[in-house]
Amino acid sequence: MTILDIDVKYTAVATAENGRDGRVASDDGKLDVVVNPPKEMGGSGAGTNPEQLFAAGYSACFQGALGVVARKENVDISGSTVTAKVGIGSNGNGGFGLEVALSAHIPTVDEATALDLLEKAHQVCPYSNATRGNIKVDLAVV
């Protein structure tokens, strides 16, 4: 896989304290959250977790990419939503891996058009480009 150089327009900065059982904050103070492992992984589940943060970022980014594609195709996607489900589990090699299921509800178009838009957005979205070939990402229309 070729690594592409990009023209960086913005850099997000966040710092974690105590890993998955601590706190994460952005340098501008807009994000400051307690993180704890979920109960399913033996944690307290009291705070958010990195997988929820990844799901939030991916769903927002993918919704934005969907809007870019829809505007180029002159398609109205008013009222649409994108949900990201991020799973974490053992990768069988002593480490952990992720998988993602992205589902979109686009009430203004038929299922075939919606799926076409999702496939095109998957080529545009920076999160999709970052994960392509590394983790399983499923797309669905709901």
Side-chain angles (χ1 to χ4, degrees), residues 36 46 54 70 76 91 94 100 107 122-123 126 131:
N36 301 113
F54 187 71
D76 176 20
N91 66 8
V100 176
H122 194 44
Q123 300 307 309
T131 59

Side-chain angles (χ1 to χ4, degrees), residues 59-78 80 82 106 117-118 120-122 124-125:
S59 62
C61 189
F62 198 88
Q63 176 76 32
L66 187 63
V68 167
V69 169
R71 281 188 296 282
K72 284 183 181 176
E73 306 243 339
N74 201 27
V75 176
D76 176 20
I77 61 164
S78 298
S80 65
V82 172
I106 310 174
L117 291 171
L118 289 185
K120 289 175 179 172
H122 194 44
V124 172
C125 177

